[in-house]
Short mmCIF file of all heavy atoms in Angstrom, two decimals:
data_model
loop_
_atom_site.label_atom_id
_atom_site.label_comp_id
_atom_site.label_asym_id
_atom_site.label_seq_id
_atom_site.Cartn_x
_atom_site.Cartn_y
_atom_site.Cartn_z
N MET A 1 -14.55 24.22 -4.19
CA MET A 1 -14.52 23.55 -5.48
C MET A 1 -15.60 24.07 -6.43
O MET A 1 -15.42 24.02 -7.61
CB MET A 1 -14.65 22.05 -5.26
CG MET A 1 -13.70 21.27 -6.08
SD MET A 1 -13.79 19.45 -5.93
CE MET A 1 -13.38 19.17 -4.27
N ASN A 2 -16.67 24.59 -5.87
CA ASN A 2 -17.77 25.09 -6.69
C ASN A 2 -17.29 26.27 -7.57
O ASN A 2 -17.70 26.35 -8.72
CB ASN A 2 -18.93 25.54 -5.82
CG ASN A 2 -19.47 24.41 -4.95
OD1 ASN A 2 -18.73 23.82 -4.18
ND2 ASN A 2 -20.71 24.08 -5.08
N THR A 3 -16.46 27.14 -7.00
CA THR A 3 -15.95 28.25 -7.74
C THR A 3 -15.12 27.77 -8.91
O THR A 3 -15.21 28.30 -10.04
CB THR A 3 -15.09 29.18 -6.84
OG1 THR A 3 -15.91 29.61 -5.76
CG2 THR A 3 -14.57 30.38 -7.58
N ARG A 4 -14.30 26.77 -8.68
CA ARG A 4 -13.47 26.23 -9.76
C ARG A 4 -14.32 25.54 -10.82
O ARG A 4 -14.03 25.59 -12.02
CB ARG A 4 -12.39 25.30 -9.20
CG ARG A 4 -11.33 26.11 -8.37
CD ARG A 4 -10.17 25.31 -7.95
NE ARG A 4 -10.48 24.27 -6.96
CZ ARG A 4 -10.62 24.50 -5.62
NH1 ARG A 4 -10.49 25.72 -5.13
NH2 ARG A 4 -10.90 23.49 -4.79
N LEU A 5 -15.40 24.90 -10.38
CA LEU A 5 -16.32 24.30 -11.34
C LEU A 5 -16.94 25.39 -12.23
O LEU A 5 -17.07 25.23 -13.45
CB LEU A 5 -17.40 23.47 -10.66
CG LEU A 5 -18.41 22.79 -11.56
CD1 LEU A 5 -17.73 21.86 -12.57
CD2 LEU A 5 -19.42 22.01 -10.73
N HIS A 6 -17.31 26.51 -11.64
CA HIS A 6 -17.84 27.66 -12.42
C HIS A 6 -16.79 28.06 -13.45
O HIS A 6 -17.15 28.31 -14.64
CB HIS A 6 -18.14 28.85 -11.51
CG HIS A 6 -19.49 28.80 -10.89
ND1 HIS A 6 -20.63 29.18 -11.55
CD2 HIS A 6 -19.87 28.48 -9.63
CE1 HIS A 6 -21.66 29.06 -10.76
NE2 HIS A 6 -21.23 28.61 -9.57
N LYS A 7 -15.54 28.20 -13.05
CA LYS A 7 -14.48 28.59 -14.00
C LYS A 7 -14.31 27.58 -15.11
O LYS A 7 -14.06 27.95 -16.25
CB LYS A 7 -13.17 28.79 -13.23
CG LYS A 7 -13.20 30.01 -12.33
CD LYS A 7 -11.87 30.16 -11.57
CE LYS A 7 -11.96 31.38 -10.64
NZ LYS A 7 -10.73 31.54 -9.87
N LEU A 8 -14.44 26.31 -14.77
CA LEU A 8 -14.28 25.26 -15.79
C LEU A 8 -15.42 25.33 -16.79
O LEU A 8 -15.20 25.18 -18.00
CB LEU A 8 -14.25 23.90 -15.09
CG LEU A 8 -13.98 22.69 -15.98
CD1 LEU A 8 -12.63 22.85 -16.74
CD2 LEU A 8 -14.03 21.41 -15.19
N VAL A 9 -16.65 25.55 -16.33
CA VAL A 9 -17.77 25.68 -17.24
C VAL A 9 -17.55 26.88 -18.17
O VAL A 9 -17.82 26.81 -19.37
CB VAL A 9 -19.09 25.83 -16.44
CG1 VAL A 9 -20.24 26.17 -17.40
CG2 VAL A 9 -19.41 24.56 -15.66
N GLU A 10 -17.08 27.97 -17.61
CA GLU A 10 -16.78 29.16 -18.43
C GLU A 10 -15.70 28.85 -19.49
O GLU A 10 -15.83 29.21 -20.63
CB GLU A 10 -16.35 30.30 -17.51
CG GLU A 10 -16.17 31.62 -18.23
CD GLU A 10 -17.46 32.15 -18.83
OE1 GLU A 10 -18.56 31.98 -18.26
OE2 GLU A 10 -17.40 32.73 -19.93
N TYR A 11 -14.67 28.14 -19.07
CA TYR A 11 -13.56 27.82 -19.96
C TYR A 11 -14.03 26.88 -21.13
O TYR A 11 -13.69 27.11 -22.29
CB TYR A 11 -12.42 27.15 -19.18
CG TYR A 11 -11.41 26.46 -20.04
CD1 TYR A 11 -10.46 27.19 -20.76
CD2 TYR A 11 -11.40 25.07 -20.14
CE1 TYR A 11 -9.54 26.55 -21.56
CE2 TYR A 11 -10.45 24.43 -20.94
CZ TYR A 11 -9.51 25.15 -21.63
OH TYR A 11 -8.60 24.53 -22.43
N LYS A 12 -14.72 25.81 -20.77
CA LYS A 12 -15.06 24.81 -21.79
C LYS A 12 -16.21 25.22 -22.68
O LYS A 12 -16.25 24.87 -23.87
CB LYS A 12 -15.46 23.48 -21.11
CG LYS A 12 -14.26 22.69 -20.59
CD LYS A 12 -13.22 22.36 -21.65
CE LYS A 12 -13.64 21.25 -22.54
NZ LYS A 12 -12.58 20.85 -23.52
N THR A 13 -17.23 25.91 -22.13
CA THR A 13 -18.44 26.18 -22.94
C THR A 13 -18.90 27.63 -22.86
O THR A 13 -20.05 27.91 -23.14
CB THR A 13 -19.59 25.26 -22.48
OG1 THR A 13 -19.87 25.53 -21.08
CG2 THR A 13 -19.26 23.79 -22.64
N GLU A 14 -17.96 28.52 -22.47
CA GLU A 14 -18.31 29.94 -22.37
C GLU A 14 -19.51 30.16 -21.44
O GLU A 14 -20.35 31.02 -21.69
CB GLU A 14 -18.54 30.56 -23.75
CG GLU A 14 -17.32 30.47 -24.62
CD GLU A 14 -17.51 31.03 -26.01
OE1 GLU A 14 -18.69 31.22 -26.45
OE2 GLU A 14 -16.51 31.23 -26.70
N GLY A 15 -19.59 29.34 -20.40
CA GLY A 15 -20.65 29.51 -19.39
C GLY A 15 -21.96 28.82 -19.73
O GLY A 15 -22.90 28.92 -18.98
N LYS A 16 -22.03 28.13 -20.84
CA LYS A 16 -23.27 27.47 -21.24
C LYS A 16 -23.42 26.16 -20.46
O LYS A 16 -22.80 25.14 -20.78
CB LYS A 16 -23.28 27.20 -22.76
CG LYS A 16 -23.21 28.47 -23.54
CD LYS A 16 -23.11 28.17 -25.03
CE LYS A 16 -22.94 29.49 -25.77
NZ LYS A 16 -21.78 29.52 -26.62
N GLN A 17 -24.26 26.21 -19.42
CA GLN A 17 -24.34 25.10 -18.50
C GLN A 17 -24.95 23.84 -19.12
O GLN A 17 -24.51 22.75 -18.84
CB GLN A 17 -25.13 25.51 -17.26
CG GLN A 17 -24.38 26.55 -16.43
CD GLN A 17 -25.17 26.98 -15.22
OE1 GLN A 17 -26.11 26.35 -14.80
NE2 GLN A 17 -24.72 28.07 -14.57
N VAL A 18 -25.95 23.99 -19.95
CA VAL A 18 -26.56 22.84 -20.58
C VAL A 18 -25.54 22.13 -21.48
O VAL A 18 -25.40 20.90 -21.46
CB VAL A 18 -27.85 23.21 -21.36
CG1 VAL A 18 -28.37 22.06 -22.17
CG2 VAL A 18 -28.90 23.75 -20.42
N GLU A 19 -24.79 22.91 -22.22
CA GLU A 19 -23.79 22.35 -23.12
C GLU A 19 -22.69 21.61 -22.30
O GLU A 19 -22.25 20.52 -22.67
CB GLU A 19 -23.14 23.49 -23.93
CG GLU A 19 -22.19 23.00 -25.01
CD GLU A 19 -21.67 24.16 -25.83
OE1 GLU A 19 -22.39 25.11 -26.12
OE2 GLU A 19 -20.48 24.11 -26.21
N PHE A 20 -22.25 22.21 -21.19
CA PHE A 20 -21.27 21.58 -20.34
C PHE A 20 -21.79 20.29 -19.74
O PHE A 20 -21.10 19.28 -19.70
CB PHE A 20 -20.83 22.56 -19.21
CG PHE A 20 -19.68 21.99 -18.39
CD1 PHE A 20 -18.37 22.20 -18.83
CD2 PHE A 20 -19.91 21.27 -17.23
CE1 PHE A 20 -17.32 21.67 -18.06
CE2 PHE A 20 -18.89 20.75 -16.48
CZ PHE A 20 -17.56 20.98 -16.91
N ALA A 21 -23.04 20.30 -19.28
CA ALA A 21 -23.65 19.09 -18.68
C ALA A 21 -23.67 17.99 -19.73
O ALA A 21 -23.33 16.83 -19.41
CB ALA A 21 -25.07 19.41 -18.20
N GLU A 22 -24.00 18.30 -20.95
CA GLU A 22 -24.02 17.27 -22.01
C GLU A 22 -22.59 16.77 -22.29
O GLU A 22 -22.41 15.55 -22.50
CB GLU A 22 -24.60 17.87 -23.31
CG GLU A 22 -26.08 18.12 -23.22
CD GLU A 22 -26.63 18.85 -24.45
OE1 GLU A 22 -25.84 19.18 -25.37
OE2 GLU A 22 -27.83 19.13 -24.45
N LEU A 23 -21.62 17.66 -22.26
CA LEU A 23 -20.22 17.27 -22.49
C LEU A 23 -19.74 16.23 -21.51
O LEU A 23 -19.06 15.28 -21.87
CB LEU A 23 -19.35 18.53 -22.42
CG LEU A 23 -17.84 18.31 -22.49
CD1 LEU A 23 -17.42 17.97 -23.92
CD2 LEU A 23 -17.08 19.53 -22.01
N VAL A 24 -20.11 16.39 -20.25
CA VAL A 24 -19.63 15.48 -19.23
C VAL A 24 -20.61 14.35 -18.89
O VAL A 24 -20.32 13.48 -18.06
CB VAL A 24 -19.16 16.21 -17.95
CG1 VAL A 24 -17.98 17.12 -18.27
CG2 VAL A 24 -20.29 16.99 -17.32
N GLY A 25 -21.82 14.38 -19.47
CA GLY A 25 -22.78 13.32 -19.26
C GLY A 25 -23.62 13.48 -18.04
O GLY A 25 -24.09 12.49 -17.45
N TRP A 26 -23.85 14.71 -17.60
CA TRP A 26 -24.67 15.01 -16.42
C TRP A 26 -25.96 15.64 -16.89
O TRP A 26 -26.04 16.25 -17.98
CB TRP A 26 -23.97 15.97 -15.48
CG TRP A 26 -22.75 15.46 -14.81
CD1 TRP A 26 -22.38 14.16 -14.67
CD2 TRP A 26 -21.71 16.25 -14.23
NE1 TRP A 26 -21.16 14.11 -14.00
CE2 TRP A 26 -20.74 15.37 -13.71
CE3 TRP A 26 -21.51 17.63 -14.09
CZ2 TRP A 26 -19.60 15.81 -13.07
CZ3 TRP A 26 -20.37 18.05 -13.42
CH2 TRP A 26 -19.43 17.16 -12.93
N SER A 27 -26.99 15.57 -16.04
CA SER A 27 -28.18 16.34 -16.30
C SER A 27 -27.90 17.83 -15.97
O SER A 27 -27.07 18.09 -15.09
CB SER A 27 -29.36 15.84 -15.47
OG SER A 27 -29.19 16.18 -14.12
N PRO A 28 -28.58 18.74 -16.64
CA PRO A 28 -28.38 20.14 -16.27
C PRO A 28 -28.73 20.43 -14.80
O PRO A 28 -28.10 21.26 -14.18
CB PRO A 28 -29.38 20.88 -17.23
CG PRO A 28 -29.50 19.95 -18.39
CD PRO A 28 -29.43 18.57 -17.83
N GLN A 29 -29.71 19.71 -14.28
CA GLN A 29 -30.11 19.89 -12.88
C GLN A 29 -28.98 19.49 -11.92
O GLN A 29 -28.74 20.15 -10.93
CB GLN A 29 -31.39 19.12 -12.55
CG GLN A 29 -32.59 19.56 -13.32
CD GLN A 29 -32.68 19.01 -14.74
OE1 GLN A 29 -31.90 18.17 -15.14
NE2 GLN A 29 -33.64 19.51 -15.52
N TYR A 30 -28.34 18.36 -12.24
CA TYR A 30 -27.23 17.89 -11.42
C TYR A 30 -26.10 18.93 -11.42
O TYR A 30 -25.55 19.26 -10.36
CB TYR A 30 -26.75 16.54 -11.91
CG TYR A 30 -25.61 15.96 -11.11
CD1 TYR A 30 -25.85 15.49 -9.82
CD2 TYR A 30 -24.31 15.85 -11.62
CE1 TYR A 30 -24.82 14.94 -9.05
CE2 TYR A 30 -23.29 15.31 -10.86
CZ TYR A 30 -23.54 14.86 -9.59
OH TYR A 30 -22.51 14.34 -8.83
N LEU A 31 -25.74 19.41 -12.58
CA LEU A 31 -24.72 20.45 -12.71
C LEU A 31 -25.10 21.68 -11.89
O LEU A 31 -24.28 22.23 -11.15
CB LEU A 31 -24.47 20.81 -14.16
CG LEU A 31 -23.47 21.96 -14.37
CD1 LEU A 31 -22.08 21.66 -13.79
CD2 LEU A 31 -23.40 22.31 -15.86
N GLN A 32 -26.34 22.08 -12.03
CA GLN A 32 -26.82 23.27 -11.29
C GLN A 32 -26.69 23.08 -9.80
O GLN A 32 -26.27 23.97 -9.08
CB GLN A 32 -28.26 23.59 -11.68
CG GLN A 32 -28.77 24.90 -11.15
CD GLN A 32 -27.99 26.08 -11.67
OE1 GLN A 32 -27.63 26.15 -12.85
NE2 GLN A 32 -27.67 27.04 -10.85
N ASN A 33 -27.02 21.89 -9.32
CA ASN A 33 -26.89 21.59 -7.88
C ASN A 33 -25.43 21.70 -7.46
O ASN A 33 -25.14 22.23 -6.36
CB ASN A 33 -27.41 20.19 -7.56
CG ASN A 33 -28.92 20.12 -7.58
OD1 ASN A 33 -29.63 21.14 -7.51
ND2 ASN A 33 -29.45 18.93 -7.71
N LEU A 34 -24.51 21.16 -8.25
CA LEU A 34 -23.08 21.28 -7.90
C LEU A 34 -22.62 22.71 -7.91
O LEU A 34 -21.88 23.12 -6.99
CB LEU A 34 -22.26 20.43 -8.87
CG LEU A 34 -22.46 18.91 -8.80
CD1 LEU A 34 -21.63 18.25 -9.90
CD2 LEU A 34 -22.12 18.36 -7.45
N LEU A 35 -23.06 23.46 -8.90
CA LEU A 35 -22.62 24.85 -8.99
C LEU A 35 -23.17 25.70 -7.85
O LEU A 35 -22.48 26.65 -7.37
CB LEU A 35 -23.09 25.46 -10.34
CG LEU A 35 -22.35 24.92 -11.56
CD1 LEU A 35 -23.05 25.41 -12.84
CD2 LEU A 35 -20.88 25.35 -11.57
N ASN A 36 -24.39 25.41 -7.40
CA ASN A 36 -24.99 26.16 -6.31
C ASN A 36 -24.56 25.71 -4.96
O ASN A 36 -24.95 26.33 -3.95
CB ASN A 36 -26.52 26.06 -6.41
CG ASN A 36 -27.08 26.83 -7.56
OD1 ASN A 36 -26.47 27.75 -8.05
ND2 ASN A 36 -28.25 26.45 -8.04
N GLY A 37 -23.81 24.62 -4.88
CA GLY A 37 -23.41 24.11 -3.60
C GLY A 37 -24.45 23.23 -2.94
O GLY A 37 -24.30 22.79 -1.80
N SER A 38 -25.57 22.96 -3.65
CA SER A 38 -26.62 22.12 -3.12
C SER A 38 -26.18 20.65 -3.07
O SER A 38 -26.59 19.90 -2.23
CB SER A 38 -27.88 22.20 -3.96
OG SER A 38 -28.27 23.54 -4.09
N GLY A 39 -25.36 20.30 -4.02
CA GLY A 39 -24.83 18.92 -4.09
C GLY A 39 -23.35 18.94 -3.75
O GLY A 39 -22.61 19.83 -4.11
N SER A 40 -22.92 17.97 -2.99
CA SER A 40 -21.51 17.82 -2.67
C SER A 40 -20.72 17.36 -3.86
O SER A 40 -21.15 16.44 -4.56
CB SER A 40 -21.35 16.84 -1.50
OG SER A 40 -20.00 16.62 -1.25
N ILE A 41 -19.58 17.97 -4.09
CA ILE A 41 -18.71 17.50 -5.17
C ILE A 41 -17.81 16.44 -4.54
O ILE A 41 -16.80 16.74 -3.97
CB ILE A 41 -17.92 18.64 -5.80
CG1 ILE A 41 -18.85 19.69 -6.37
CG2 ILE A 41 -16.99 18.12 -6.89
CD1 ILE A 41 -18.16 20.87 -7.02
N GLY A 42 -18.24 15.20 -4.72
CA GLY A 42 -17.48 14.07 -4.19
C GLY A 42 -16.51 13.55 -5.23
O GLY A 42 -16.28 14.13 -6.27
N ILE A 43 -15.98 12.37 -4.94
CA ILE A 43 -14.97 11.80 -5.81
C ILE A 43 -15.50 11.44 -7.18
O ILE A 43 -14.82 11.59 -8.20
CB ILE A 43 -14.25 10.62 -5.14
CG1 ILE A 43 -13.00 10.17 -5.91
CG2 ILE A 43 -15.20 9.43 -4.95
CD1 ILE A 43 -11.88 11.17 -5.88
N ARG A 44 -16.74 10.90 -7.26
CA ARG A 44 -17.29 10.47 -8.55
C ARG A 44 -17.39 11.60 -9.58
O ARG A 44 -16.93 11.44 -10.72
CB ARG A 44 -18.63 9.81 -8.31
CG ARG A 44 -19.20 9.10 -9.52
CD ARG A 44 -18.42 7.80 -9.83
NE ARG A 44 -17.92 7.91 -11.20
CZ ARG A 44 -16.85 7.34 -11.70
NH1 ARG A 44 -16.10 6.62 -10.96
NH2 ARG A 44 -16.50 7.54 -12.94
N PRO A 45 -17.95 12.77 -9.21
CA PRO A 45 -17.96 13.87 -10.18
C PRO A 45 -16.58 14.33 -10.61
O PRO A 45 -16.36 14.69 -11.75
CB PRO A 45 -18.71 15.00 -9.48
CG PRO A 45 -19.48 14.34 -8.39
CD PRO A 45 -18.67 13.12 -8.00
N VAL A 46 -15.62 14.30 -9.66
CA VAL A 46 -14.25 14.73 -9.98
C VAL A 46 -13.66 13.73 -10.98
O VAL A 46 -13.05 14.17 -12.00
CB VAL A 46 -13.39 14.80 -8.69
CG1 VAL A 46 -11.91 15.05 -9.04
CG2 VAL A 46 -13.88 15.92 -7.79
N ILE A 47 -13.83 12.47 -10.79
CA ILE A 47 -13.34 11.45 -11.71
C ILE A 47 -13.95 11.66 -13.08
O ILE A 47 -13.26 11.60 -14.11
CB ILE A 47 -13.56 10.03 -11.18
CG1 ILE A 47 -12.65 9.78 -9.97
CG2 ILE A 47 -13.31 8.99 -12.27
CD1 ILE A 47 -12.93 8.51 -9.21
N THR A 48 -15.26 11.91 -13.13
CA THR A 48 -15.93 12.15 -14.39
C THR A 48 -15.31 13.33 -15.13
O THR A 48 -15.01 13.27 -16.33
CB THR A 48 -17.43 12.39 -14.19
OG1 THR A 48 -18.00 11.21 -13.60
CG2 THR A 48 -18.13 12.71 -15.48
N LEU A 49 -15.07 14.42 -14.39
CA LEU A 49 -14.49 15.60 -15.04
C LEU A 49 -13.10 15.30 -15.56
O LEU A 49 -12.77 15.70 -16.69
CB LEU A 49 -14.42 16.75 -14.01
CG LEU A 49 -15.75 17.38 -13.65
CD1 LEU A 49 -15.57 18.35 -12.51
CD2 LEU A 49 -16.41 18.06 -14.84
N LEU A 50 -12.32 14.56 -14.82
CA LEU A 50 -10.95 14.25 -15.23
C LEU A 50 -10.96 13.32 -16.46
O LEU A 50 -10.07 13.41 -17.32
CB LEU A 50 -10.15 13.64 -14.10
CG LEU A 50 -9.88 14.60 -12.95
CD1 LEU A 50 -9.24 13.87 -11.77
CD2 LEU A 50 -9.01 15.78 -13.37
N GLU A 51 -11.93 12.43 -16.54
CA GLU A 51 -12.04 11.52 -17.70
C GLU A 51 -12.51 12.27 -18.94
O GLU A 51 -12.02 12.03 -20.04
CB GLU A 51 -13.03 10.39 -17.39
CG GLU A 51 -12.50 9.38 -16.38
CD GLU A 51 -13.54 8.35 -15.98
OE1 GLU A 51 -14.75 8.57 -16.19
OE2 GLU A 51 -13.14 7.33 -15.43
N LYS A 52 -13.50 13.17 -18.78
CA LYS A 52 -14.08 13.85 -19.92
C LYS A 52 -13.28 15.05 -20.38
O LYS A 52 -13.36 15.46 -21.53
CB LYS A 52 -15.50 14.33 -19.55
CG LYS A 52 -16.47 13.19 -19.22
CD LYS A 52 -16.81 12.36 -20.41
CE LYS A 52 -17.83 11.33 -20.06
NZ LYS A 52 -18.37 10.61 -21.17
N ILE A 53 -12.48 15.63 -19.46
CA ILE A 53 -11.69 16.83 -19.79
C ILE A 53 -10.22 16.50 -19.42
O ILE A 53 -9.74 16.90 -18.35
CB ILE A 53 -12.21 18.06 -19.02
CG1 ILE A 53 -13.70 18.23 -19.30
CG2 ILE A 53 -11.41 19.30 -19.45
CD1 ILE A 53 -14.37 19.25 -18.41
N PRO A 54 -9.55 15.75 -20.26
CA PRO A 54 -8.20 15.25 -19.91
C PRO A 54 -7.17 16.36 -19.66
O PRO A 54 -6.18 16.14 -18.93
CB PRO A 54 -7.80 14.37 -21.11
CG PRO A 54 -8.75 14.63 -22.18
CD PRO A 54 -9.98 15.29 -21.57
N GLU A 55 -7.37 17.52 -20.21
CA GLU A 55 -6.42 18.61 -20.01
C GLU A 55 -6.58 19.28 -18.65
O GLU A 55 -5.77 20.11 -18.20
CB GLU A 55 -6.51 19.66 -21.13
CG GLU A 55 -7.76 20.51 -21.13
CD GLU A 55 -8.95 19.94 -21.91
OE1 GLU A 55 -9.02 18.75 -22.12
OE2 GLU A 55 -9.79 20.76 -22.35
N LEU A 56 -7.65 18.95 -17.90
CA LEU A 56 -7.91 19.52 -16.61
C LEU A 56 -6.83 19.10 -15.61
O LEU A 56 -6.54 17.92 -15.47
CB LEU A 56 -9.30 19.08 -16.08
CG LEU A 56 -9.71 19.55 -14.70
CD1 LEU A 56 -9.75 21.09 -14.59
CD2 LEU A 56 -11.03 18.97 -14.31
N ASN A 57 -6.29 20.07 -14.91
CA ASN A 57 -5.30 19.84 -13.87
C ASN A 57 -6.02 19.42 -12.59
O ASN A 57 -6.71 20.27 -11.97
CB ASN A 57 -4.47 21.08 -13.68
CG ASN A 57 -3.40 20.95 -12.60
OD1 ASN A 57 -3.39 19.98 -11.85
ND2 ASN A 57 -2.52 21.96 -12.51
N ALA A 58 -5.91 18.15 -12.20
CA ALA A 58 -6.59 17.64 -11.00
C ALA A 58 -6.20 18.42 -9.76
O ALA A 58 -7.04 18.70 -8.91
CB ALA A 58 -6.32 16.17 -10.82
N ARG A 59 -4.93 18.75 -9.64
CA ARG A 59 -4.46 19.47 -8.46
C ARG A 59 -5.15 20.82 -8.34
O ARG A 59 -5.52 21.27 -7.29
CB ARG A 59 -2.94 19.62 -8.52
CG ARG A 59 -2.32 20.12 -7.21
CD ARG A 59 -0.81 19.85 -7.19
NE ARG A 59 -0.30 20.12 -5.88
CZ ARG A 59 -0.27 19.24 -4.92
NH1 ARG A 59 -0.68 18.02 -5.12
NH2 ARG A 59 0.22 19.56 -3.74
N TRP A 60 -5.31 21.49 -9.49
CA TRP A 60 -5.99 22.79 -9.49
C TRP A 60 -7.45 22.59 -9.07
O TRP A 60 -7.97 23.31 -8.21
CB TRP A 60 -5.94 23.44 -10.85
CG TRP A 60 -6.78 24.67 -10.93
CD1 TRP A 60 -6.43 25.93 -10.53
CD2 TRP A 60 -8.14 24.77 -11.44
NE1 TRP A 60 -7.46 26.81 -10.73
CE2 TRP A 60 -8.54 26.12 -11.28
CE3 TRP A 60 -9.02 23.85 -11.96
CZ2 TRP A 60 -9.80 26.57 -11.65
CZ3 TRP A 60 -10.28 24.33 -12.35
CH2 TRP A 60 -10.64 25.66 -12.18
N PHE A 61 -8.14 21.60 -9.67
CA PHE A 61 -9.54 21.45 -9.41
C PHE A 61 -9.79 21.04 -7.94
O PHE A 61 -10.69 21.58 -7.30
CB PHE A 61 -10.17 20.42 -10.36
CG PHE A 61 -11.67 20.41 -10.23
CD1 PHE A 61 -12.42 21.44 -10.78
CD2 PHE A 61 -12.33 19.42 -9.56
CE1 PHE A 61 -13.79 21.46 -10.64
CE2 PHE A 61 -13.71 19.42 -9.43
CZ PHE A 61 -14.44 20.44 -9.96
N ILE A 62 -9.01 20.14 -7.44
CA ILE A 62 -9.24 19.64 -6.08
C ILE A 62 -8.69 20.58 -4.99
O ILE A 62 -9.38 20.86 -4.01
CB ILE A 62 -8.65 18.22 -5.89
CG1 ILE A 62 -9.36 17.24 -6.87
CG2 ILE A 62 -8.73 17.74 -4.47
CD1 ILE A 62 -8.67 15.89 -7.00
N LEU A 63 -7.48 21.07 -5.22
CA LEU A 63 -6.81 21.86 -4.15
C LEU A 63 -6.70 23.34 -4.45
O LEU A 63 -6.35 24.14 -3.55
CB LEU A 63 -5.37 21.31 -3.93
CG LEU A 63 -5.29 19.85 -3.55
CD1 LEU A 63 -3.82 19.39 -3.54
CD2 LEU A 63 -5.94 19.60 -2.21
N GLY A 64 -6.98 23.74 -5.66
CA GLY A 64 -6.86 25.14 -6.02
C GLY A 64 -5.42 25.59 -6.27
O GLY A 64 -5.10 26.77 -6.23
N GLU A 65 -4.52 24.64 -6.51
CA GLU A 65 -3.12 24.94 -6.71
C GLU A 65 -2.73 24.79 -8.17
O GLU A 65 -3.23 23.88 -8.87
CB GLU A 65 -2.24 23.98 -5.92
CG GLU A 65 -2.44 24.10 -4.40
CD GLU A 65 -1.66 23.08 -3.61
OE1 GLU A 65 -0.98 22.22 -4.24
OE2 GLU A 65 -1.72 23.12 -2.39
N GLY A 66 -1.88 25.66 -8.67
CA GLY A 66 -1.42 25.59 -10.06
C GLY A 66 -2.40 26.21 -11.02
O GLY A 66 -3.21 27.06 -10.63
N THR A 67 -2.34 25.76 -12.24
CA THR A 67 -3.22 26.29 -13.31
C THR A 67 -4.34 25.34 -13.64
O THR A 67 -4.23 24.15 -13.37
CB THR A 67 -2.39 26.59 -14.59
OG1 THR A 67 -1.80 25.36 -15.03
CG2 THR A 67 -1.30 27.65 -14.34
N MET A 68 -5.37 25.84 -14.22
CA MET A 68 -6.57 25.04 -14.56
C MET A 68 -6.22 23.94 -15.55
O MET A 68 -6.68 22.80 -15.44
CB MET A 68 -7.69 25.89 -15.10
CG MET A 68 -8.89 25.10 -15.48
SD MET A 68 -10.25 26.01 -16.37
CE MET A 68 -10.17 27.63 -15.82
N ILE A 69 -5.41 24.31 -16.54
CA ILE A 69 -5.12 23.39 -17.64
C ILE A 69 -3.69 22.93 -17.65
O ILE A 69 -2.76 23.74 -17.50
CB ILE A 69 -5.44 24.10 -19.00
CG1 ILE A 69 -6.89 24.61 -19.00
CG2 ILE A 69 -5.11 23.25 -20.18
CD1 ILE A 69 -7.93 23.53 -18.80
N ASN A 70 -3.48 21.63 -17.80
CA ASN A 70 -2.13 21.08 -17.94
C ASN A 70 -1.60 21.45 -19.29
O ASN A 70 -2.31 21.47 -20.26
CB ASN A 70 -2.16 19.55 -17.82
CG ASN A 70 -2.44 19.07 -16.40
OD1 ASN A 70 -1.94 19.65 -15.43
ND2 ASN A 70 -3.26 18.04 -16.28
N SER A 71 -0.31 21.75 -19.32
CA SER A 71 0.30 22.13 -20.60
C SER A 71 0.77 20.91 -21.33
O SER A 71 0.86 19.84 -20.86
CB SER A 71 1.44 23.10 -20.37
OG SER A 71 2.34 22.62 -19.41
#
């Protein structure tokens, strides 16, 4: 899931991690931990992403199936 989170950051903010963290309401340190695999991506961060980025395809983010963005 960390790889898909990297792709999502790239898609939403052109890789600007601080900007992405602000967008979803996380600290930059928390985002960095998730991206590095230091923090587990549990259900709460996934729910936050789905709430803040409604076009995000949950199946893609969780399972790696389909496309990143719902049409």
Side-chain angles (χ1 to χ4, degrees):
M1 223 181 298
N2 301 57
T3 301
R4 291 187 293 279
L5 182 56
H6 275 281
K7 290 179 182 179
L8 185 59
V9 172
E10 186 63 36
Y11 165 76
K12 285 302 285 185
T13 61
E14 298 177 346
K16 297 175 184 125
Q17 293 180 14
V18 172
E19 187 177 324
F20 186 86
E22 289 173 1
L23 174 74
V24 296
W26 294 340
S27 71
Q29 296 81 7
Y30 181 70
L31 175 60
Q32 190 62 42
N33 286 342
L34 293 176
L35 290 170
N36 289 337
S38 305
S40 174
I41 301 180
I43 191 69
R44 191 71 238 152
V46 172
I47 290 171
T48 298
L49 290 171
L50 294 172
E51 289 173 343
K52 299 290 183 171
I53 307 170
E55 71 271 24
L56 177 61
N57 179 349
R59 190 164 191 87
W60 173 83
F61 190 74
I62 296 168
L63 302 173
E65 298 175 357
T67 59
M68 180 188 328
I69 302 303
N70 289 319
S71 51

